[in-house]
Amino acid sequence: MRTPLIAGNWKMNGTCSSAAELARSLVDHVATDAPCEWAVCPPFVHTPAVAEQLTGSSIQIGSQNVCDKDQGAATGEVAGDMLTDIGCRYAIVGHSERRELYGEDDQLVARRFVAAQRHGLVPILCVGETLSQRNAGEAETVLRHQLEAVFQAAGEGGLAQSVIAYEPVWAIGTGETATPEQAQAMHAFIRELVRERDAATADKLRILYGGSMKAKNAAELLACEDVDGGLIGGASLDAEGFAAIGAATRS
Ligand code: PGA
């Protein structure tokens, strides 16, 4: 039985005070009896203010990235220890915006994944194909490479303490969502890829869907057998809407 995870990716938005306000509002709106777990991933610098508001609540905190190194000469990066120190439990790695805008390749993403685990963070590994890759029939090959790099770096059992987010790049921030059929097919494919390398983990692994998920379309996506929650960008900036997505998870 996989408990769905509803995770908000706040991206590069807001101020310390607006982030704290959003967190406070989430505490008011998020149903503690919803059949899911909750997490939010604020910008690094807003995390302490958010953590303060979420103390005592069931909403956990994640980061939007983590350094592959542990300390020292890595200007502009944030180490895993620093993130656990300010209350993070999860770390997103390999988000398509990092891959596309900042040139993070599969190997760097894999190293970040391993670093997250080394520091006791649960990586949320984002994978997904672009529109041109999908149109060229390459979606499955892309996912295979993205996952393979992580298996190479983390070892056969490396995905045990992790979460995967399938985020088709063409659906992120575009308002276009994968259909439940498309999402289910890709999630099932990812689970089979994992099964090939680590049968013990495959059925336990949570695979989230990400890409324009919102209250309106959440129920049909979350009803898919292999969709175990969501990584939500835009719609996570509204407490009521975010809470409604969690309320739509299957029990
Ligand atoms: P979106 O973003 O929900 O705004 O499409 C999802 C994500 O980038 O994680």
Side-chain angles (χ1 to χ4, degrees):
M1 176 64 190
R2 300 182 294 265
T3 305
L5 173 65
I6 300 298
N9 173 10
W10 291 2
K11 305 196 181 186
M12 194 171 71
N13 289 295
T15 60
C16 267
S17 62
S18 72
E21 178 58 38
L22 178 55
R24 199 165 32 244
S25 179
L26 279 174
V27 172
D28 291 342
H29 285 96
V30 154
T32 43
D33 59 353
C36 64
E37 292 174 7
W38 305 89
V40 292
C41 304
F44 294 125
V45 292
H46 298 164
T47 300
V50 169
E52 197 183 324
Q53 298 302 325
L54 297 183
T55 304
S57 85
S58 60
I59 305 167
Q60 293 185 302
I61 300 173
S63 62
Q64 296 177 18
N65 209 349
V66 57
C67 187
D68 59 326
K69 299 179 178 57
D70 293 342
Q71 61 169 15
T75 301
E77 290 282 335
V78 179
D81 269 356
M82 298 174 179
L83 296 170
T84 51
D85 190 40
I86 55 171
C88 289
R89 160 133 180 85
Y90 295 100
I92 296 173
V93 297
H95 190 280
S96 65
E97 287 150 19
R98 299 301 316 171
R99 294 177 189 264
E100 294 218 320
L101 303 176
Y102 299 97
E104 295 194 13
D105 63 13
D106 290 347
Q107 284 65 39
L108 174 56
V109 169
R111 291 200 301 278
R112 291 188 188 276
F113 178 101
V114 171
Q117 289 185 328
R118 192 163 64 237
H119 293 285
L121 294 158
V122 176
I124 301 177
L125 170 69
C126 299
V127 296
E129 79 286 357
T130 64
L131 187 57
S132 62
Q133 288 165 334
R134 170 165 279 260
N135 289 340
E138 293 166 358
E140 295 190 347
T141 309
V142 169
L143 293 183
R144 188 178 285 279
H145 286 153
Q146 290 173 337
L147 277 180
E148 189 52 35
V150 174
F151 275 119
Q152 293 282 339
E156 295 284 305
L159 261 68
Q161 294 303 320
S162 74
V163 174
I164 289 182
Y166 169 62
E167 299 207 308
V169 180
W170 46 273
I172 295 179
T174 59
E176 194 176 332
T177 319
T179 63
E181 294 72 25
Q182 285 171 324
Q184 169 56 27
M186 297 309 274
H187 283 231
F189 175 73
I190 291 167
R191 202 176 301 286
E192 286 318 303
L193 282 181
V194 174
R195 198 183 311 284
E196 282 173 20
R197 300 296 302 261
D198 182 2
T201 297
D203 287 325
K204 293 184 201 140
L205 184 69
R206 290 189 287 192
I207 306 176
L208 316 183
Y209 170 80
S212 300
M213 186 186 266
K214 44 184 165 307
K216 255 195 193 150
N217 59 27
E220 55 178 16
L221 286 160
L222 294 167
C224 298
E225 190 183 339
D226 287 292
V227 176
D228 308 310
L231 181 58
I232 297 118
S236 71
L237 297 173
D238 167 61
E240 263 180 78
F242 186 65
I245 293 172
T249 49
R250 60 176 188 263
S251 46

